[in-house]
Amino acid sequence: MNPILFWSIAVFVVIAALMVVRLPNIFHAGLSLIATFGGVAAVYAMLDAHFLAAVQVLIYVGAISVILMFAVMLTQHLAQREVRGSMSRHVSGALVAGLFGLFAVIIVNTQQWPSGGLPFKYLQAGDIGKLFLDKNAFLVPFEMVAILLLVALVGAVMVARKEGDR
Amino acid sequence: MGIADRIRNLFDSAGLPPALDWVKSDIVMMLVVLVLVIGFISVSVLFLIWLERKVSARIQRRMGPMLAGIPWLNAKSMWLGGIFQTAADAIKLLIKEDLTPAEVDKLVYFLAPMLVFTASLMSYVVIPFGDGLSVTDLNVGVVYLLAVSSIAVLAIMMAGWGSNSKYSLLGGLRSVAQMISYEIPMIFALLGPVLMAGSLSMQDIVKAQAASHWFIIPNIIGFIVFIIAGTAETNRPPFDLPEGESELVAGFVTEYSGMKFAMFFLAEFSNLFVVSAVATTLFLGGWAFPGLDAIADPAIRTLVSFLVFLVKTYVIILLLMWIRWTFPRLRVDQLMHFGWKTLLPFAFLNLLIAAIWVMVSVRM
Amino acid sequence: MAPVGLAHFLTLSVILFCVGLYGVLTRRNAVAILMSLELMFNAVNISLVGFARFMGNEVAASGQMFALFVVAVAGAEATIGVAIVLALYRNFRHINVDEVDLLKW
């Protein structure tokens, strides 16, 4: 795999993520989030998970981002900037996240991972479909996710509805 | 096998001197393919705009553009008149004053038209123009197409929000609601041919149709659903409430003028071509037709397959134009009811029929 | 430069997770907190797909399938989160989570 490709995409993803958490204008933060999702889709493509990369763009960029931006548009004015929290909150948040990150990065980098990767069979969309319907593989989680999505759909409509409507 | 490989074969058979071997390298091939595809898109979009005006004129029993053309062609036939009209319109749009309202969100306002056109261009990567003529044959081609069309949704939302105007915001929100509602019947309508071909790759679907029969036969309901959903996705009448001229001033393009407006306009016609190309590929057999294998010479076969593809795509384009100028506009609540309560059940029905067809044909 | 291996992808996943964690802890706008939460989901997915790629055939399928389920569940969660934010906005006219403290004593 090309190291230049990996490093450029990784730097892009991290910078976009930092913009998501630091930009005071929420709409711009949402746009950075969309850029992050695109970058993560590129990471999946680098990891030979092409179906997942296409699904990532289709669902995260095409649906979840749309719903988050709808929330922004319905609750904000155009140039409204977020009220900044206190400095102590930012410092403690950075400290917690930074220490955990340091800890985890040290653990991850001191393990002995298989270097070139063990033999890997490329997963086609058809294979994923067969796994979803295999009783011993992922059939039960598949059906439960279907029920979960139905519950989320009905629940969201109920929660967001105005009082006094049918 | 892609366009780059075809061009390399062409160079090989024509005899390239060894000094020019760098021409066959990846970078140069990418640039050549890029120029070819963008050139094709530009020419077809300009042609489509002129065609739309002529078709609409004839449906309304008038002549359409007749002045900006070649005089003796104008005199010969009403259909050949005014062929330079689009070029004249493009020049007019370019020299128009590019007005930027004062209170817009500059980044979002400038990014939106570029993103709309980019999303439209990205779809051309997987369209099979002919035998071995696709820029790249992704093996998740259909999902890639759907993913890219969702990016246009975001761009329209950005246009609506960034313009800082109530007409734009309302038009943008309505357009986004319409586009995400009609994406779902479109996905299910596309699943029928995918099921029958057994693959998500566009070239594989065409080859499967070449081997058996056009997939429109069991999927006729899906074809109709896809045509309707495709019209809604590209914001064309009868689904053009978000940018309807008599409704919300001009919807989400209210505050755009000059080149930025031209971008939205070009993107709409580019999307029209993409929707027709996808309908051709998945339902009408793409570049395949019964006598194609009889042609021995691969170059001639590629050329003929490209012409067949163009003919089929333009049949669908004329059908879409015919629909546009025949039906009145849908009101926004009618539009949402139709999408969710009528089109989606028919899309599910089509998937069921396709599944039963595949099961029965495997048993036989 | 060392060839790109599993450790690189896992480090990227950890950094993304920590950036998302910082956002969840620091931001005061409810929608911004939801956005940072989505960052954390994506970070976990990157590590799952990385393991699927590098750890051999037995886990290859499980990693990508698990990542697909995470995408679906994240979608459901974002939907409910936005519904709650809209209900919040309707009652308080703002979505600053620091000032939603009616149940505090």
Side-chain angles (χ1 to χ4, degrees), chain B residues 165-347:
Chain B
S165 136
K166 38 177 137 6
Y167 299 117
S168 302
L169 187 63
L170 275 179
L173 287 177
R174 279 189 188 175
S175 177
V176 167
Q178 168 189 315
M179 284 169 91
I180 60 179
S181 306
Y182 281 83
E183 251 174 37
I184 302 183
M186 193 163 88
I187 293 177
F188 278 100
L190 287 180
L191 279 182
V194 165
L195 202 63
M196 291 179 64
S199 162
L200 285 170
S201 148
M202 302 280 269
Q203 288 278 22
D204 280 355
I205 295 178
V206 174
K207 287 180 183 139
Q209 292 183 80
S212 58
H213 60 277
W214 289 2
F215 286 161
I216 191 174
I217 300 292
N219 291 314
I220 184 72
I221 301 177
F223 178 66
I224 297 173
V225 165
F226 183 76
I227 292 290
I228 299 175
T231 314
E233 281 291 308
T234 55
N235 279 337
R236 277 174 70 82
F239 296 102
D240 72 334
L241 192 77
E243 51 177 46
E245 277 99 35
S246 47
E247 294 286 337
L248 287 168
V249 184
F252 61 87
V253 294
T254 310
E255 303 290 340
Y256 284 95
S257 60
M259 195 57 206
K260 300 203 264 296
F261 173 75
M263 282 271 149
F264 281 110
F265 196 56
L266 292 177
E268 179 177 325
F269 281 93
S270 174
N271 277 327
L272 171 67
F273 188 88
V274 168
V275 164
S276 309
V278 172
T280 309
T281 306
L282 264 72
F283 293 100
L284 292 184
W287 47 257
F289 77 98
L292 194 62
D293 282 334
I295 304 176
D297 184 9
I300 304 279
R301 191 187 320 170
T302 309
L303 191 63
V304 169
S305 64
F306 179 58
L307 290 174
V308 166
F309 173 79
L310 276 185
V311 163
K312 290 187 194 174
T313 305
Y314 271 92
V315 165
I316 305 279
I317 288 178
L318 287 172
L319 176 69
L320 286 174
M321 287 185 179
W322 186 12
I323 293 177
R324 170 180 185 165
W325 293 104
T326 311
F327 290 103
R329 181 180 294 149
L330 261 75
R331 220 172 50 222
V332 66
D333 61 323
Q334 288 173 333
L335 199 148
M336 300 298 274
H337 282 292
F338 180 66
W340 288 102
K341 294 199 223 164
T342 308
L343 217 52
L344 192 58
F346 276 111

Side-chain angles (χ1 to χ4, degrees), chain B residues 7-307:
Chain B
I7 299 180
R8 285 199 186 108
N9 288 348
L10 202 65
F11 279 142
D12 280 338
S13 62
L16 197 65
L20 285 180
D21 251 353
W22 56 268
V23 174
K24 289 199 281 186
S25 70
D26 279 336
I27 304 272
V28 175
M29 278 296 132
M30 276 202 300
L31 284 172
V32 167
V33 170
L34 186 72
V35 165
L36 275 177
V37 172
I38 292 189
F40 175 77
I41 296 173
S42 313
V43 167
S44 44
V45 165
L46 291 180
F47 178 69
L48 277 177
I49 298 178
W50 172 84
L51 186 67
E52 171 97 44
R53 293 180 70 159
K54 277 297 187 188
V55 164
S56 71
R58 292 309 295 145
I59 288 180
Q60 297 169 352
R61 293 182 68 93
R62 53 184 177 88
M63 289 198 296
M66 289 294 286
L67 286 181
I70 303 176
W72 65 267
L73 268 182
N74 285 357
K76 269 193 180 299
S77 141
M78 163 179 354
W79 269 106
L80 296 172
I83 53 181
F84 295 134
Q85 182 65 41
T86 316
D89 280 337
I91 296 176
K92 176 203 79 172
L93 275 174
L94 281 173
I95 63 180
K96 251 194 176 162
E97 179 187 7
D98 207 334
L99 200 62
T100 306
E103 298 291 320
V104 300
D105 189 339
K106 294 244 169 25
L107 171 73
V108 175
Y109 182 80
F110 280 104
L111 205 54
M114 295 193 261
L115 203 58
V116 162
F117 202 59
T118 304
S120 180
L121 285 184
M122 280 170 77
S123 321
Y124 282 84
V125 162
V126 288
I127 294 181
F129 290 104
D131 189 5
L133 281 184
S134 55
V135 176
T136 168
D137 191 25
L138 293 176
N139 58 358
V140 288
V142 174
V143 188
Y144 171 82
L145 267 177
L146 294 166
V148 161
S149 67
S150 333
I151 298 182
V153 174
L154 278 169
I156 290 180
M157 201 164 52
M158 283 165 61
W161 169 260
S163 303
N164 194 20
S165 136
K166 38 177 137 6
Y167 299 117
S168 302
L169 187 63
L170 275 179
L173 287 177
R174 279 189 188 175
S175 177
V176 167
Q178 168 189 315
M179 284 169 91
I180 60 179
S181 306
Y182 281 83
E183 251 174 37
I184 302 183
M186 193 163 88
I187 293 177
F188 278 100
L190 287 180
L191 279 182
V194 165
L195 202 63
M196 291 179 64
S199 162
L200 285 170
S201 148
M202 302 280 269
Q203 288 278 22
D204 280 355
I205 295 178
V206 174
K207 287 180 183 139
Q209 292 183 80
S212 58
H213 60 277
W214 289 2
F215 286 161
I216 191 174
I217 300 292
N219 291 314
I220 184 72
I221 301 177
F223 178 66
I224 297 173
V225 165
F226 183 76
I227 292 290
I228 299 175
T231 314
E233 281 291 308
T234 55
N235 279 337
R236 277 174 70 82
F239 296 102
D240 72 334
L241 192 77
E243 51 177 46
E245 277 99 35
S246 47
E247 294 286 337
L248 287 168
V249 184
F252 61 87
V253 294
T254 310
E255 303 290 340
Y256 284 95
S257 60
M259 195 57 206
K260 300 203 264 296
F261 173 75
M263 282 271 149
F264 281 110
F265 196 56
L266 292 177
E268 179 177 325
F269 281 93
S270 174
N271 277 327
L272 171 67
F273 188 88
V274 168
V275 164
S276 309
V278 172
T280 309
T281 306
L282 264 72
F283 293 100
L284 292 184
W287 47 257
F289 77 98
L292 194 62
D293 282 334
I295 304 176
D297 184 9
I300 304 279
R301 191 187 320 170
T302 309
L303 191 63
V304 169
S305 64
F306 179 58
L307 290 174

Side-chain angles (χ1 to χ4, degrees), chain A residues 20 22-23 37 82 90 160, chain C residues 22 26-27 29 42 45 90:
Chain A
V20 171
R22 295 290 299 175
L23 282 175
F37 290 154
E82 186 195 35
H90 280 273
Chain C
Y22 170 73
T26 315
R27 290 286 227 170
N29 187 312
N42 274 291
N45 262 357
R90 199 179 318 125

Side-chain angles (χ1 to χ4, degrees), chain C residues 12-35:
Chain C
L12 172 66
S13 164
V14 166
I15 294 177
L16 205 59
F17 188 83
C18 292
V19 170
L21 184 62
Y22 170 73
V24 168
L25 292 174
T26 315
R27 290 286 227 170
R28 295 171 82 189
N29 187 312
V31 181
I33 295 180
L34 282 174
M35 289 180 186

